[in-house]
Amino acid sequence: MRQLLTAVNDTNPITIELPGFSEQVLQDESLLFSFLLRLLVANYDTSTEKITIAKAILFLDTAFTNDVQQLLQNFFVDFKLKQDESSFLESFYYLVIVLIYLEFISVDVTGFLEFSISMSAFKEENFNTDPVFKSLQKFLTEKAKSYPKLLNSTTMGTMLNALFFFLLDHNVQIKPLKINVQYTKNFYAANMIIQSLQDVFGSAITFSDRIDLADFIISDSYENAEALQGDFFLFNNIFNPQDWFSLLGSVLQQIYGKTFYKTLHHDCVAKYR
């Protein structure tokens, strides 16, 4: 345990200094306090620091850390998640922090954490999270046979389910909304629209010259074929702030309804997988 907590505290370290305590006691208290801060304070470490800590823990090459790494690799493969080094290491940071807590720390801090999977707001909106959580529970139950020390009756609870829901959510790649711009009143307006939307929505959108492949069509006229699958937005005047306000709102609705995965009344498993 001291070895694990030292690997955590080597980056962005904390040292407690109090009179009347031995050096070893203060070192151990510093390690524990440092670890609990990671568990309780959002983004105490930057993304770069999280990756550095993950690498330091993996470098220990213990049975525990190797099992956590393998469990996470199984998770990425089973749920078909894009596995680049940064996303995997940051996910490892979150997973190993929780598993260290569940496996080794006896201090109960769950009163300070929220990880309920049946929030009242979801019930009011008829948001069916069951398919996602059942899929995650099935994964954890199956992996408990391979990793009995990690996934046992003590650790297999709401906190771990909620963590894997976060890891799934954290690593889902959003499918960009395909937009086609047809603007004829002047030769530069289309480029202005494209650049302005890109500035606001970034990688959540992409642009296509193929109007028949677009999810959303922006035009200054009603001359569009009824057979087109994309929704149509009439953008009348690039110099009118209200037209821009309406356009941004419409694009946001399109992203949420067509490509975002936290939507209501949808098959969540299909969105996540």
Side-chain angles (χ1 to χ4, degrees):
M1 176 178 163
R2 184 180 289 120
Q3 190 180 24
L4 288 165
L5 300 191
T6 299
V8 173
N9 197 44
D10 278 348
T11 300
N12 200 7
I14 291 172
T15 302
I16 296 175
E17 297 181 4
L18 290 171
F21 293 92
S22 69
E23 183 177 345
Q24 186 62 63
V25 168
L26 288 176
Q27 181 183 355
D28 289 345
E29 290 297 320
S30 298
L31 293 177
L32 179 60
F33 184 69
S34 168
F35 175 79
L36 292 177
L37 272 181
R38 267 75 181 197
L39 192 67
L40 294 170
V41 179
N43 292 325
Y44 176 77
D45 296 309
T46 65
S47 292
T48 301
E49 288 168 341
K50 289 171 185 174
I51 290 171
T52 301
I53 291 171
K55 289 180 177 178
I57 295 174
L58 285 169
F59 185 75
L60 297 176
D61 195 23
T62 66
F64 173 77
T65 58
N66 291 338
D67 279 352
V68 177
Q69 180 185 23
Q70 191 59 51
L71 173 62
L72 186 61
Q73 287 176 339
N74 294 159
F75 177 70
F76 269 73
V77 171
D78 283 20
F79 285 87
K80 300 178 177 62
L81 301 173
K82 184 180 179 181
Q83 185 176 331
D84 59 65
E85 184 182 24
S86 295
S87 62
F88 184 84
L89 287 171
E90 195 164 350
S91 296
F92 179 84
Y93 168 93
Y94 288 111
L95 180 57
V96 78
I97 290 292
V98 168
L99 286 175
I100 289 172
Y101 169 73
L102 292 173
E103 294 281 350
F104 301 108
I105 307 296
S106 59
V107 180
D108 184 5
V109 298
T110 55
F112 300 98
L113 301 170
E114 179 185 69
F115 41 81
S116 171
I117 62 173
S118 58
M119 288 181 261
S120 59
F122 286 172
K123 290 182 178 179
E124 291 171 6
E125 296 286 355
N126 191 29
F127 183 74
N128 185 12
T129 58
D130 285 346
V132 178
F133 283 107
K134 285 179 180 177
S135 181
L136 291 170
Q137 187 59 55
K138 180 182 177 183
F139 167 81
L140 291 173
T141 301
E142 290 176 351
K143 295 307 173 186
K145 301 171 187 176
S146 303
Y147 309 100
K149 292 183 179 180
L150 287 184
L151 306 176
N152 51 52
S153 56
T154 303
T155 60
M156 288 277 280
T158 309
M159 189 175 186
L160 200 58
N161 286 335
L163 173 73
F164 272 95
F165 179 82
F166 159 73
L167 292 177
L168 181 58
D169 184 87
H170 185 62
N171 290 289
V172 167
Q173 301 293 314
I174 188 171
K175 182 179 69 173
L177 180 76
K178 292 181 182 178
I179 299 176
N180 176 267
V181 180
Q182 299 280 336
Y183 205 91
T184 61
K185 290 180 179 177
N186 57 57
F187 68 92
Y188 53 79
N191 189 65
M192 178 190 290
I193 294 169
I194 290 170
Q195 185 61 50
S196 298
L197 293 180
Q198 199 79 68
D199 288 343
V200 175
F201 296 104
S203 61
I205 60 174
T206 188
F207 293 91
S208 173
D209 293 331
R210 291 278 302 274
I211 194 170
D212 56 317
L213 298 180
D215 302 308
F216 188 58
I217 302 159
I218 301 169
S219 179
D220 58 351
S221 74
Y222 281 115
E223 297 175 1
N224 61 300
E226 293 182 5
L228 291 176
Q229 298 298 311
D231 289 322
F232 184 80
F233 182 88
L234 178 64
F235 191 28
N236 186 50
N237 188 344
I238 61 170
F239 303 106
N240 186 342
Q242 187 58 45
D243 284 358
W244 282 103
F245 181 82
S246 299
L247 176 62
L248 293 177
S250 296
V251 173
L252 181 59
Q253 287 180 336
Q254 291 285 322
I255 291 171
Y256 182 74
K258 291 187 176 180
T259 68
F260 197 54
Y261 46 89
K262 294 188 188 74
T263 52
L264 303 179
H265 316 297
H266 282 74
D267 181 353
C268 297
V269 176
K271 287 283 186 180
Y272 279 105
R273 299 184 70 167

